[in-house]
Amino acid sequence: MDSEPNDEVIVVGGGIVGLTTAVLLAESGRRVRVWAREPAERTTSAVAGGLWWPYRIEPEPLVGAWALESLAVYEEQARRPEETGVRLVDGVHRGTRLDELGDWVARVPGLRQTADGLTARLPVIDMPVHLAWLRERLAKAGSAVELREVTDLAAVPAGVVVNCTGLGARSLARDPAVRPVRGQLVVVENPGITTWLTSVDHSSAASTYFIPQPGGLLLGGTAEEDDWSLQPDPATATAIVARCAEIRPEIAGSRILTHRVGLRPARNSVRLERRPLPDGRVLVHSYGHGGAGVTVAWGCAREAAGLAFPSA
């Protein structure tokens, strides 16, 4: 006989935050299903650059702890890059200074202040490979991802419902504080670049970064607030390539492979909290991770699991 619904956890949302939360719960022995509106390959997570670093996410003291916890997980996963899609790659955050960041930065192994900025060897996650690996890991734990549209969290038939819907929480959780920050990327044939670089002006909608991935060199980017368009803009793409080529001229001649657009689920503060549903069941919110869902995924998953089962 099947267990009653109240013995089950349903995670709503199949991006990086939802999948890591589901994996952690399933591997701890919980009965878990993931209900996702679309496959992981079509989520914002799939088009993320994949560099571990807190970006456009608050509040910093909590973010730092979540990010460091996730960093430790990714460092372990980087021992099996072909399987997990996680590699450790050298690079520089140009123009960034240690004294501009929180206390968490002192605990990032090998991070150094240089004349250019901050140099470090950090996880770079090949998101399509990593999301597929998480889904396989979930299946091995006896759980599955189901394509289901959810319009009412209270109607989800589980004792614990975990809301990891990202930008979808704007309507599903009736939370107007969740807003899109549009990011556009260009993927080009890699002309031989093996390190990543970021140069971000937080006062501008334009930024410059490149990240080497197995499928090409990812060039970025934009941070366009309250822009819902998922269509790549040709002028924006041209400007992205030009900015990156100013730093590495060989990029200018690289063949363009594809264009990507994702909508970061921004919020003034991550919402990670436990709420009772009207009938006494448990609802845990975990959304509003901005441009750092990958960076904080495991730390937030562990906190969400603790909120769902505080006595475990």
Side-chain angles (χ1 to χ4, degrees):
M1 181 181 292
D2 289 342
S3 298
E4 293 299 316
N6 277 2
D7 294 331
E8 188 175 44
V9 181
I10 292 181
V11 176
V12 184
I16 185 70
V17 173
L19 288 179
T20 52
T21 303
V23 165
L24 192 148
L25 286 165
E27 291 181 348
S28 71
R30 303 290 175 182
R31 291 185 67 244
V32 179
R33 285 187 288 164
V34 176
W35 283 9
R37 185 179 59 189
E38 54 195 0
E41 295 79 8
R42 291 176 54 192
T43 64
T44 297
S45 299
V47 300
L51 173 65
W52 179 94
W53 190 255
Y55 174 66
R56 284 185 170 265
I57 181 171
E58 295 289 344
E60 186 171 273
L62 294 177
V63 168
W66 297 329
L68 290 169
E69 190 164 358
S70 302
L71 175 61
V73 176
Y74 290 132
E75 287 175 334
E76 190 279 327
Q77 293 173 1
R79 298 174 185 172
R80 309 181 309 282
E82 294 81 7
E83 178 186 351
T84 66
V86 182
R87 296 167 294 127
L88 295 178
V89 181
D90 293 316
V92 57
H93 290 296
R94 179 177 283 191
T96 303
R97 296 188 52 81
L98 286 170
D99 57 15
E100 298 171 344
L101 303 171
D103 294 342
W104 60 269
V105 76
R107 296 172 56 195
V108 178
L111 189 69
R112 296 186 297 113
Q113 183 76 60
T114 67
D116 280 345
L118 299 181
T119 65
R121 184 174 171 86
L122 298 177
V124 169
I125 297 97
D126 183 357
M127 292 307 297
V129 171
H130 189 65
L131 291 168
W133 175 72
L134 286 173
R135 196 166 51 229
E136 291 172 9
R137 188 168 160 180
L138 191 61
K140 289 178 182 177
S143 300
V145 178
E146 303 172 21
L147 297 184
R148 300 278 295 262
E149 181 80 31
V150 174
T151 57
D152 181 1
L153 290 169
V156 177
V160 175
V161 180
V162 187
N163 173 26
C164 301
T165 55
L167 197 56
R170 182 179 173 92
S171 57
L172 194 56
R174 297 177 180 85
D175 186 352
V178 187
R179 327 175 2 246
V181 175
R182 181 180 182 273
Q184 181 166 330
L185 303 175
V186 182
V187 185
V188 302
E189 285 187 342
N190 193 334
I193 293 172
T194 59
T195 58
W196 52 266
L197 178 141
T198 74
S199 180
V200 177
D201 178 357
H202 291 280
S203 66
S204 171
S207 59
T208 304
Y209 59 86
F210 48 81
I211 303 169
Q213 291 280 18
L217 185 66
L218 274 58
L219 311 180
T222 66
E224 299 161 297
E225 297 186 5
D226 300 307
D227 188 334
W228 290 85
S229 174
L230 286 169
Q231 295 302 312
D233 177 70
T236 298
T238 298
I240 288 171
V241 174
R243 289 198 303 273
C244 292
E246 284 182 11
I247 299 171
R248 294 293 295 263
E250 62 267 43
I251 289 174
S254 297
R255 183 168 69 93
I256 293 176
L257 300 177
T258 189
H259 299 271
R260 296 181 183 175
V261 176
L263 304 180
R264 305 175 183 94
R267 197 173 184 270
N268 57 350
S269 178
V270 172
R271 188 179 186 190
L272 188 45
E273 62 184 21
R274 173 187 171 110
R275 293 290 188 199
L277 288 167
D279 58 3
R281 293 178 298 123
V282 173
L283 171 63
V284 175
H285 291 294
S286 181
Y287 65 83
H289 301 92
V294 174
T295 299
V296 300
W298 289 97
C300 286
R302 289 204 170 94
E303 184 158 334
L307 290 171
F309 301 99
S311 60

